[in-house]
Amino acid sequence: MPLSRGSAVVGFTVLLGLLLAANMEFTGKIPKGIQVDWEAILNFDPNSFAESVKRWLYPSLKITTSWKDYPDVTSTLATTGSVVAALSSYDDRAPMNPEQVS
């Protein structure tokens, strides 16, 4: 049960997020009996932690280059205003307070 505690789940989720941000997908499973957060806590230096994890992590990483198929952001959102508009969830048609709801 490598993800039976909240700290382990959060740590592994953050790791998966970092890998996805680097265009890497983890396609495997954590081996039975391994708890990644305890591996990190109990190893005294980062190199020994990396050595203990890379045996099962590295073979399960799939590097993707699908982002190369997408258009460049600057060609799609050329101005700062268009970037803000794309990221905004503001809807000027939405009521401002509950009393305006009809």
Side-chain angles (χ1 to χ4, degrees):
M1 298 186 334
L3 300 177
S4 61
R5 298 174 329 281
S7 61
V9 172
V10 170
F12 193 63
T13 303
V14 169
L15 174 66
L16 292 178
L18 290 170
L19 291 172
L20 287 174
N23 295 317
M24 297 180 197
E25 180 184 359
F26 178 66
T27 58
K29 294 181 179 179
I30 300 173
K32 189 173 184 169
I34 299 288
Q35 294 187 2
V36 182
D37 58 339
W38 281 110
E39 292 286 326
I41 292 168
L42 297 175
N43 281 297
F44 292 110
D45 72 309
N47 293 329
S48 61
F49 169 68
E51 288 296 321
S52 69
V53 171
K54 75 179 183 181
R55 289 189 298 267
W56 57 268
L57 181 66
Y58 286 10
S60 299
L61 287 180
K62 176 183 161 193
I63 298 174
T64 61
T65 56
S66 62
W67 57 272
K68 291 183 179 183
D69 298 333
Y70 297 123
D72 185 40
V73 173
T74 56
S75 67
T76 306
L77 304 171
T79 65
T80 303
S82 62
V83 172
V84 171
L87 297 174
S88 176
S89 63
Y90 175 73
D91 183 2
D92 61 353
R93 295 174 292 148
M96 297 302 279
N97 62 46
E99 295 160 0
Q100 293 176 334
V101 177
S102 51

